[in-house]
Amino acid sequence: MNRIEKHTVTNREKFINAMIRDILSGRWNPGDKLPSQREFAEKMGIGKTVIQSGFEHLAAMGLVEIKPKSGIYVADYMKTGNIETLNAIVQLNGSELGREVIVGILDLRLAIEGTALRALSLCRTSEDVLRLRSLTEDIRECSVDVGLEELAERFFLWHREICILSGKPILTLFMNTMHDVSIAFWVRYLGMYGLDFAVDRLDRFIDFIEARDGNGAYDLLAAGIADYLDRLENQA
Amino acid sequence: MNRIEKHTVTNREKFINAMIRDILSGRWNPGDKLPSQREFAEKMGIGKTVIQSGFEHLAAMGLVEIKPKSGIYVADYMKTGNIETLNAIVQLNGSELGREVIVGILDLRLAIEGTALRALSLCRTSEDVLRLRSLTEDIRECSVDVGLEELAERFFLWHREICILSGKPILTLFMNTMHDVSIAFWVRYLGMYGLDFAVDRLDRFIDFIEARDGNGAYDLLAAGIADYLDRLENQA
DNA sequence: TGCGGTCATCTGGTCCGACCAGTTTCGTTA
DNA sequence: TAACGAAACTGGTCGGACCAGATGACCGCA
């Protein structure tokens, strides 16, 4: 692991994590009015500012709705939530994601990365190809030294590079938005297929890009995702 | 407008907005080290906490990178930014979005909503259809009373309802993630095609869904997006 | 002259208690 | 009974105090 010796947990984090757990586990229901910031502060024996800051964070994750000067309510997060909500769910449930959630995520990934692959295949330069090959080599080399999380991060960066090189900066922004969720996915993927298989696939992507075969690259991605879902189906 | 009488602008917002402007306009460049929080605080004559809170927000938008105990640096936001970065850009540039940005956004929208349309066409109940017709009617009725922004919000909610009813909650989360960007899009769209055309299209979507014709609904969406991009091309 | 260690100074991070301005509630008054 | 208004809430803002890690200049030793 890379962040074992996590800095001492602050009161703010303690509060946030407790609230995430309580809300996602159903201790409170959407629409419920929460106790006031002052009550939370008193109960935890800390200042109100800390609670305020924590609620700001929870609101950004779409878990609560703050009505100024009135109160704070549990949000109907599956309706009003955003990608941060998904991150919170992924973080809490670890690898225990439902198939439905995974399908949704992969639909999006195919859309984002498929578009990038097609665009890059059209506009790629020889430098682009070299860059990707070099990244692939790095992954192969470092694979014995680093942990699973770090490897997942490398795979994420490899695929993000596709977006960056494709000349479609918006796709890169979306890719980054899905960072946390993607890491959870890659950890699972690497555990399921093994590193060698995964790295070989990267090479095949590069081959398609080098040959300017955008559809080939897209189909490879689509087939990979379909196979992944099949395995998930069968193992469950 | 819905929020004209905006609450008095706080120091925190003043600072954040000034920084967004300075960074996006290129006053600072990616990698530059910013003055310390204390310097900013002194210069503005306010407390350091406000600056700290503001920088936290800027970091969440992907505009700056905070290196604890060291300093705060301008991020290479087109590489490391996320959807919040895009929101900031949209907010600053208003309707002056580049074609490239719009294409990227619409690619994603087709992916998200196209998937939802197909799914809903398969699983729709008669209540779903009634619900959508009722929403459409609401838009038609309120169209004379409300401003353009409010109308754009209604169109957003209509399309979000597709995701909600489709039984794919992840799509809803993504849809919400794109809320701010979508509003900017709808304002533009309504100005370009007019309200009547836009509402009629909603009816056509419902017809396809009622007939359980997922591909038809998808094609309608794809054709609409393609036409929009054509117009954009020709007018520029 | 060059190297290594030490310590003051700088950074961001956390926290508190006071204050502000709307909202809500409830008792008083017409 | 209905309208009013004050008091008791609510979340939001703010400045100053303190913490711990990073930094870098400075001093002493080889």
Side-chain angles (χ1 to χ4, degrees), chain B residues 10-12 38 45-50 68-70:
Chain B
T10 67
N11 289 337
R12 180 168 172 272
R38 283 174 180 80
I46 60 180
K48 191 175 80 71
T49 306
V50 183
K69 329 280 182 169
S70 166

Side-chain angles (χ1 to χ4, degrees), chain B residues 54-145:
Chain B
F55 270 126
E56 259 175 37
H57 195 188
L58 291 166
M61 294 198 302
L63 291 179
V64 302
E65 186 186 357
I66 302 179
K67 295 191 180 175
K69 329 280 182 169
S70 166
I72 296 179
Y73 302 78
V74 178
D76 188 357
Y77 50 84
M78 269 306 172
K79 265 198 177 183
T80 63
N82 54 36
I83 190 72
E84 292 298 325
T85 318
L86 186 57
N87 285 341
I89 295 173
V90 170
Q91 202 179 336
L92 189 75
N93 294 0
S95 54
E96 296 284 324
L97 295 177
R99 185 173 185 283
E100 208 176 65
V101 174
I102 293 176
V103 171
I105 292 170
L106 292 179
D107 280 347
L108 262 293
R109 207 189 130 212
L110 180 58
I112 297 175
E113 208 170 325
T115 304
L117 281 170
R118 284 207 165 101
L120 179 57
S121 296
L122 286 179
C123 72
R124 68 115 181 117
T125 66
S126 44
E127 282 83 30
D128 293 342
V129 174
L130 285 178
R131 168 96 178 115
L132 288 173
R133 293 225 185 271
S134 147
L135 276 178
T136 310
E137 210 47 45
D138 285 347
I139 294 179
R140 221 187 290 270
E141 280 172 13
C142 80
S143 62
V144 290
D145 304 325

Side-chain angles (χ1 to χ4, degrees), chain A residues 10-12 38 45-50 68-70:
Chain A
T10 66
N11 289 337
R12 179 168 172 271
R38 283 174 179 80
I46 60 180
K48 191 175 80 71
T49 308
V50 183
K69 328 279 181 167
S70 167

Side-chain angles (χ1 to χ4, degrees), chain A residues 34-47:
Chain A
L34 293 172
S36 76
Q37 295 180 353
R38 283 174 179 80
E39 281 182 63
F40 277 112
E42 193 175 355
K43 192 158 54 181
M44 293 186 64
I46 60 180

Side-chain angles (χ1 to χ4, degrees), chain A residues 104-200:
Chain A
I105 293 169
L106 291 179
D107 280 347
L108 262 293
R109 208 190 127 211
L110 180 58
I112 297 174
E113 209 171 325
T115 306
L117 280 170
R118 285 208 165 99
L120 179 56
S121 296
L122 287 179
C123 73
R124 68 119 180 114
T125 67
S126 45
E127 282 83 28
D128 293 342
V129 174
L130 285 178
R131 168 95 178 116
L132 288 172
R133 293 223 184 270
S134 146
L135 277 178
T136 312
E137 211 46 46
D138 285 347
I139 293 179
R140 223 188 288 271
E141 280 172 13
C142 80
S143 62
V144 289
D145 303 327
V146 302
L148 193 55
E149 289 249 342
E150 171 70 21
L151 264 177
E153 179 74 27
R154 301 286 185 118
F155 272 87
F156 170 79
L157 290 177
W158 194 97
H159 286 267
R160 192 184 74 172
E161 195 71 20
I162 298 284
C163 295
I164 294 175
L165 296 176
S166 76
K168 290 183 173 290
I170 299 299
L171 295 180
T172 310
L173 298 186
F174 275 100
M175 200 75 175
N176 285 330
T177 302
M178 296 177 63
H179 174 268
D180 292 4
V181 170
S182 297
I183 295 299
F185 164 81
W186 280 114
V187 167
R188 232 183 138 111
Y189 185 93
L190 290 171
M192 195 177 285
Y193 287 91
L195 179 70
D196 288 338
F197 180 86
V199 177
D200 283 346

